[in-house]
Amino acid sequence: MSAAVADTAPRRTWPDTVNPVTGFVAAVLYTIPMLTTIDAVSAAVALVSWLILFAVAGIGPRTIIRRSWPLFIAAPVSAISMLLYAAPGGQVYAQFLLAVISDNSIELALAIGLRVLAVGVPTLVALGGIDPTRLADALGQVARLPARFVLGALAGVRLFGVLGEDWRQLALARRARGLGDDGRIRRAFSLAFSLLVIALRRGEGLATAMEARGFGVGERTWARPSSLGRADLVLVLVALAVAAVSIGAGIASGSYRLLGA
């Protein structure tokens, strides 16, 4: 029985074993320097580097797409808007009203599209698989945040997944009463208000239950220890190295373009 459970359990990749607080720190240390420039070379080098590192860490394309699929919509949208409405420069290829396609807009569109992926994909892949309970343990023990805040946030995250089922049950209940055939907009507002009432009542009940059990009173102990290890240091160093190599490649190629310059 235990072997069957182990076989069906989801496979944990290397980033999923790193302390969640380290993941956020590494994301900040990597993102800040990457947002100081707006060139295509550094973004492309960073994106390719992360894809190689993910492959080495055992993260397949399916996991990458599942965790970061919104970026594959946001990146083209950002690139197209920059292509049409960026400040013209160099040769102008097309113009219609306020939209101007020029050498500068093409360069910026490519840089923006790649940068959205270069910054967003590694962040979402690394942080998208974090278990809320592990995150709460890390925030309470490593980041030393107040236990009342940590446990309240954990409870909120846990209950957030229930909202979809509540919405479905409310819709079925209204339809059973003959109230589900009115306009979509009116029905959506009515369901949203009912869902808000349910969420507030559930939150009040949860707060009362947690208060009755002594949550947030005195010093709290933790059932699952959360600590930092060698893997956390490796992740931070890798994030800094990718950012440094990417920006260095942009400077070496002569395409480095400081944001706002």
Side-chain angles (χ1 to χ4, degrees):
M1 179 66 180
S2 59
V5 173
D7 292 339
T8 58
R11 181 186 176 188
R12 296 184 66 189
T13 57
W14 176 71
D16 297 335
T17 63
V18 177
N19 193 285
V21 171
T22 305
F24 283 98
V25 172
V28 172
L29 294 177
Y30 164 73
T31 301
I32 290 177
M34 290 299 297
L35 292 180
T36 61
T37 176
I38 185 172
D39 65 281
V41 173
S42 62
V45 171
L47 182 59
V48 172
S49 300
W50 281 115
L51 292 178
I52 295 174
L53 290 171
F54 288 151
V56 173
I59 303 177
R62 183 176 301 178
T63 302
I64 296 175
I65 294 175
R66 186 179 71 251
R67 293 185 181 180
S68 59
W69 65 265
L71 295 176
F72 295 100
I73 300 175
V77 171
S78 302
I80 291 174
S81 62
M82 188 63 63
L83 175 67
L84 297 178
Y85 301 110
Q91 183 177 351
V92 175
Y93 298 97
Q95 183 173 0
F96 179 75
L97 298 179
L98 298 178
V100 179
I101 300 178
S102 63
D103 288 333
N104 184 60
S105 65
I106 294 175
E107 180 182 350
L108 288 177
L110 181 61
I112 289 295
L114 288 174
R115 193 154 303 276
V116 170
L117 296 176
V119 173
V121 169
T123 302
L124 291 182
V125 171
L127 302 180
I130 293 179
D131 179 68
T133 303
R134 290 186 63 239
L135 177 59
D137 291 334
L139 291 176
Q141 300 176 59
V142 177
R144 302 294 183 181
L145 294 181
R148 181 186 292 270
F149 165 77
V150 171
L151 295 174
L154 173 61
V157 171
R158 287 295 189 188
L159 292 178
F160 185 78
V162 185
L163 294 179
E165 180 63 21
D166 288 340
W167 182 280
R168 191 180 72 85
Q169 293 294 339
L170 285 172
L172 292 176
R174 287 177 57 84
R175 185 172 294 276
R177 296 186 180 96
L179 302 175
D181 296 328
D182 48 358
R184 291 185 178 181
I185 298 179
R186 181 180 178 183
R187 182 170 66 250
F189 275 107
S190 178
L191 287 174
F193 180 76
S194 301
L195 192 65
L196 175 62
V197 173
I198 292 176
L200 291 176
R201 290 177 177 175
R202 182 179 289 136
E204 182 181 3
L206 179 62
T208 303
M210 293 177 67
E211 192 73 24
R213 288 171 172 81
F215 283 92
V217 178
E219 185 176 356
R220 177 172 177 80
T221 58
W222 301 88
R224 294 166 297 272
S226 180
S227 59
L228 301 176
R230 185 178 301 176
D232 300 284
L233 177 61
V234 171
L235 179 60
V236 172
L237 294 178
V238 166
L240 291 174
V242 171
V245 170
S246 302
I247 293 178
I251 296 175
S253 65
S255 63
Y256 182 82
R257 186 172 182 176
L258 189 64
L259 184 65

